[in-house]
Amino acid sequence: GELACDLGATRALIVSDPGIVKAGYPAKAQALIEAEGLAARVFAQVHENPSTADVDECVAVAREFGADLLIGLGGGSSMDTAKGCNFVLTNGGQMKDYWGVGKATKPMLPLMAIPTTAGTGSECQSFALISDAETHVKMACGDPKAAARIALLDPELTVSQPHRVTVCTGVDALSHALESAVTTKHNALSAVYSREAFRLCHGGFSRVLREPTNVDARGQMLLGAAYAGVA
């Protein structure tokens, strides 16, 4: 709630999915925001590997609510849907209009990203990966304006994820650390983040699998995934 106020928000739309709603996190976030005197609403219809249909539905809710802050709360799908919504809500048109890099010509709403998995690094990079609902082609839509203003890393939010999700997202984070290290487009700064991301994830992954409720190990993975996103 305090961070939402810092961003100058008055009406926050929390973008999440049904599983995260069952875990109770969006309701807690909404209560914290409303405790600061702001209006908040939850959009929880995000599907895994979100499509343009998910984005369009989210845009309709955000527009009707008059949102001036978007909060992606969940895995990469929730954060991607929030980013996709931001593109269309602020710049108009359709998701396919932003396929590529730097296609948004107008300012975008502030975005807060709160990951509940340690893997995609979506909270620390500026791309939304959205599938076309008709062709099923995945579109990577990137723009510096789409990056979250705030990434809020709370390892306790990742404890409730199923074992398989912990495994798959952990491999995802390690892959991003490795990919960003070996790409021909890496630079001195990204290399620092790649190296630290790999160190954190390599050390934290086996700990998390052995001790799923170890919040310190969860935090190590969450920070590693975020650094991999930065890289």
Side-chain angles (χ1 to χ4, degrees):
E2 292 174 12
L3 294 172
C5 288
D6 289 346
L7 291 173
T10 59
R11 304 180 70 79
L13 181 68
I14 301 165
V15 181
S16 196
D17 67 60
I20 303 301
V21 168
K22 285 182 181 178
Y25 301 149
K28 289 182 180 179
Q30 184 173 2
L32 289 168
I33 291 166
E34 290 176 343
E36 294 295 324
L38 311 182
R41 183 178 293 184
V42 176
F43 171 80
Q45 280 69 56
V46 174
H47 297 92
E48 189 174 356
N49 297 316
S51 72
T52 49
D54 293 294
V55 170
D56 290 344
E57 192 175 348
C58 187
V59 168
V61 172
R63 186 172 287 137
E64 185 271 329
F65 178 57
D68 56 11
L69 169 66
L70 297 174
I71 301 175
L73 172 57
S77 297
S78 295
M79 291 183 281
D80 280 355
T81 302
K83 288 179 188 174
C85 171
N86 208 353
F87 275 106
V88 178
L89 181 66
T90 58
N91 280 258
Q94 303 175 55
M95 202 68 244
K96 64 182 180 182
D97 298 330
Y98 307 101
W99 191 359
V101 180
K103 300 289 183 70
T105 58
K106 300 176 183 177
M108 296 171 70
L109 294 182
L111 169 71
M112 190 185 302
I114 310 174
T116 57
T117 64
T120 67
S122 183
E123 66 275 10
C124 286
Q125 44 94 347
S126 57
F127 276 82
L129 195 61
I130 306 293
S131 298
D132 187 297
E134 295 180 1
T135 65
H136 306 296
V137 172
K138 282 196 173 184
M139 301 179 290
C141 307
D143 194 290
K145 295 188 289 295
R149 302 277 184 88
I150 292 171
L152 185 59
L153 307 181
D154 182 352
E156 291 188 3
L157 299 183
T158 70
V159 173
S160 63
Q161 63 185 321
H163 176 75
R164 175 175 169 76
V165 177
T166 297
V167 172
C168 292
T169 55
V171 171
D172 203 13
L174 282 164
S175 299
H176 292 161
L178 183 60
E179 286 172 339
S180 57
V182 302
T183 177
T184 56
K185 292 185 177 182
H186 80 274
N187 57 46
L189 182 59
S190 73
V192 171
Y193 280 101
S194 299
R195 191 159 48 244
E196 184 63 6
F198 194 87
R199 186 188 72 80
L200 287 165
C201 291
H202 186 265
F205 200 15
S206 57
R207 289 177 65 203
V208 164
L209 297 181
R210 286 195 310 270
E211 309 168 54
T213 59
N214 186 321
V215 175
D216 181 60
R218 290 281 184 184
Q220 196 172 339
M221 285 299 297
L222 197 56
L223 188 59
Y227 282 170
V230 173

